[in-house]
Amino acid sequence: VSNFKDSNELKALASKIIMALGKPWVISTHEFYISTSIGIAIFPEHGKTYNILLKNADTAMHNAKSKGKSCYEVFDFRMHKNILEYIDMEKSIRYAIKNQEFILYYQPQIDLKSGKVIGLEALIRWIHPKKGMIPPNKFIPIAEKTGLIREIGKWVIYEACRQNKEWIEKGYKPIKISINLSAIQLKQKNLIDDIKNIIEETGVDSNYIEFEITENAAIEDLEKTIGILKELKQMNFRIALDDFGTGYSSLNYLKMLPIDYIKLDKFFISNVTIDSKEQAITKFLIKLAKEMAIKIIAEGIETNDQYDYLKKHDCDIGQGYLFGRPISANEIEEILKKTK
Ligand code: C2E
Ligand code: CA
Ligand code: CA
């Protein structure tokens, strides 16, 4: 494009192109459409040669793509820095796997009626030799994009099962551990075989293991997910639908997916004592789940008011800073000793 006033004019044009190409068309009975991602680089500030200009437009386009379908981006030199950081992170994660820098923390889940600990959610932590503890939201998304989550996820399943068995062998009362599965793992062909091998290797009782999947992950390939979940159920694992209320939250999926628990997302719980709409939805979901023989786990309980409200309305299980933050296996063991 030549003779333009400013980048706004280019953005408007990009928007127009995306819309024009996005119009669906029909061949026989099938509907098709093209989604377009556009990267914009401007001469001469983003490159004085054709090659550099094209390379930077390409970088901008990849940035646009990562924002979702049908977006455009104008190149910015900071994008190079982001890419370098990304590559650096990927390298560090690869190294961390080899160097065994990951550990599992565990957060207690409480029976809201009796106040007793009835389960633990395994949450991964990266203990970086220089940077200290890195939370999962900093590296899980990159591990997912690069596929490294497969290896990390397999280790998480192994470690949680091994720990569960170790505690039982030490004579503590058996306690259920729940493990987060990423969407990438659900798509993995050998997930079930890996899990079978882990059961054999660790000798864990699958009755004490639960898998958590988010609704968004489940519906990426609904048929396949249902198949995998059914297999897991046959092997006596429990299934929880994580972060319920943040995605489509379709009641239809509750009917189709073979789940034992719904985890109500913390955004719900944080408003449950303030917002009457949130209250209505929560009450309704608790009732509906009861009818379907599904248990509700409320996530992110931070205050006594939230606790009281949920208990009063018959919510089964709770998890949150009010009862305890995620802590190391050694610290959990101290709690187990007291309840022995
Ligand atoms: P999640 O599965 O929804 O896990 C619950 C998160 O909420 C945890 O964050 C937990 O520390 C935090 N949380 C618990 N109680 C409270 C509370 O009362 N208030 C607030 N504000 N937060 C609370 P964490 O450990 O940082 O994990 C973040 C996310 O990373 C998890 O969200 C999960 O999606 C992912 N993740 C963690 N471990 C694994 C793993 O082993 N595999 C996979 N695929 N994902 C994992
Ligand atoms: Ca979870
Ligand atoms: Ca959650």
Side-chain angles (χ1 to χ4, degrees):
V1 181
S2 50
N3 297 327
F4 56 93
K5 268 205 308 284
D6 54 20
S7 63
N8 284 335
E9 202 177 318
L10 296 176
K11 287 180 191 170
L13 184 63
S15 211
K16 245 179 164 173
I17 295 173
I18 290 170
M19 280 220 298
L21 287 171
K23 279 200 188 112
W25 75 92
V26 176
I27 297 178
S28 71
T29 56
H30 300 283
E31 193 170 273
F32 296 87
Y33 68 93
I34 295 175
S35 70
T36 314
S37 306
I38 299 180
I40 303 168
I42 301 168
F43 176 85
E45 59 248 54
H46 296 151
K48 290 196 181 76
T49 65
Y50 168 77
N51 280 338
I52 291 176
L53 211 52
L54 194 64
K55 199 172 124 269
N56 288 342
D58 190 51
T59 300
M61 186 202 61
H62 278 99
N63 260 270
K65 263 193 175 168
S66 71
K67 293 211 163 136
K69 285 181 176 163
S70 305
C71 291
Y72 60 81
E73 277 291 329
V74 180
F75 177 75
D76 181 322
F77 281 97
R78 274 171 299 190
M79 287 174 180
H80 280 318
K81 197 173 146 254
N82 290 346
I83 290 174
L84 288 179
E85 272 173 9
Y86 181 88
I87 294 170
D88 197 47
M89 191 68 159
E90 181 182 348
K91 258 203 282 185
S92 312
I93 296 174
R94 278 185 204 278
Y95 185 75
I97 296 174
K98 261 203 244 139
N99 208 25
Q100 301 179 336
E101 290 169 7
F102 296 111
I103 60 163
L104 290 186
Y105 266 35
Y106 298 89
Q107 186 178 33
Q109 297 180 328
I110 311 290
D111 179 321
L112 293 183
K113 293 240 161 59
S114 68
K116 285 200 177 118
V117 177
I118 52 127
L120 302 168
E121 179 175 3
L123 294 158
I124 196 168
R125 298 289 180 266
W126 178 3
I127 312 294
H128 193 284
K130 286 203 193 97
K131 292 180 194 156
M133 192 188 285
I134 304 177
N137 56 7
K138 283 264 155 53
F139 66 91
I140 294 276
I142 297 174
E144 287 182 329
K145 266 194 197 151
T146 52
L148 291 169
I149 191 69
R150 291 193 198 98
E151 210 171 323
I152 297 172
K154 193 168 149 188
W155 175 82
V156 171
I157 302 172
Y158 174 85
E159 178 54 19
C161 291
R162 189 205 60 74
Q163 185 64 74
N164 188 294
K165 180 72 180 176
E166 183 191 306
W167 279 331
I168 291 176
E169 278 183 343
K170 280 186 172 167
Y172 301 121
K173 216 170 122 209
I175 191 159
K176 192 188 67 172
I177 294 183
S178 58
I179 299 170
N180 290 286
L181 281 185
S182 126
I184 312 284
Q185 286 173 283
L186 276 180
K187 283 188 212 149
Q188 212 177 320
K189 266 207 205 92
N190 46 0
L191 175 69
I192 296 288
D193 285 341
D194 282 352
I195 292 175
K196 279 183 184 155
N197 289 337
I198 289 171
I199 300 179
E200 215 163 277
E201 232 175 283
T202 58
V204 75
D205 180 347
S206 49
N207 269 305
Y208 299 122
I209 298 292
E210 177 178 309
F211 287 105
E212 297 191 3
I213 52 157
T214 65
E215 190 183 30
N216 288 345
I219 62 171
E220 272 186 28
D221 187 344
L222 194 59
E223 296 278 300
K224 194 163 173 217
T225 305
I226 292 172
I228 290 174
L229 297 188
K230 279 189 176 155
E231 272 195 83
L232 290 174
K233 293 280 294 174
Q234 266 166 12
M235 293 158 78
N236 277 328
F237 291 106
R238 304 284 176 281
I239 310 290
L241 197 57
D242 204 357
D243 300 346
F244 194 78
T246 57
Y248 294 90
S249 312
S250 153
L251 299 180
N252 218 15
Y253 298 136
L254 294 186
K255 195 179 73 188
M256 293 165 82
L257 295 165
I259 52 170
D260 305 282
Y261 299 90
I262 293 171
K263 298 194 78 175
L264 269 190
D265 192 76
K266 45 182 171 289
F267 290 109
F268 259 105
I269 307 307
S270 61
N271 288 327
V272 84
T273 50
I274 313 162
D275 189 320
S276 61
K277 278 188 195 142
E278 233 92 310
Q279 286 179 347
I281 297 173
T282 306
K283 275 193 277 188
F284 165 75
L285 277 174
I286 293 172
K287 261 205 199 121
L288 178 80
K290 280 248 149 67
E291 303 260 317
M292 297 174 85
I294 297 171
K295 288 195 168 177
I296 296 261
I297 303 174
E299 285 195 285
I301 302 179
E302 293 183 348
T303 69
N304 276 311
D305 284 352
Q306 291 163 355
Y307 179 21
D308 291 342
Y309 184 88
L310 291 160
K311 197 161 73 174
K312 191 172 126 207
H313 290 94
D314 244 5
C315 178
D316 305 292
I317 303 163
Q319 189 181 339
Y321 293 166
L322 181 69
F323 310 112
R325 288 181 181 250
I327 47 178
S328 69
N330 286 339
E331 290 169 295
I332 289 287
E333 204 164 326
E334 291 306 311
I335 299 175
L336 295 179
K337 274 181 193 157
K338 283 181 211 144
T339 52
K340 203 168 173 177

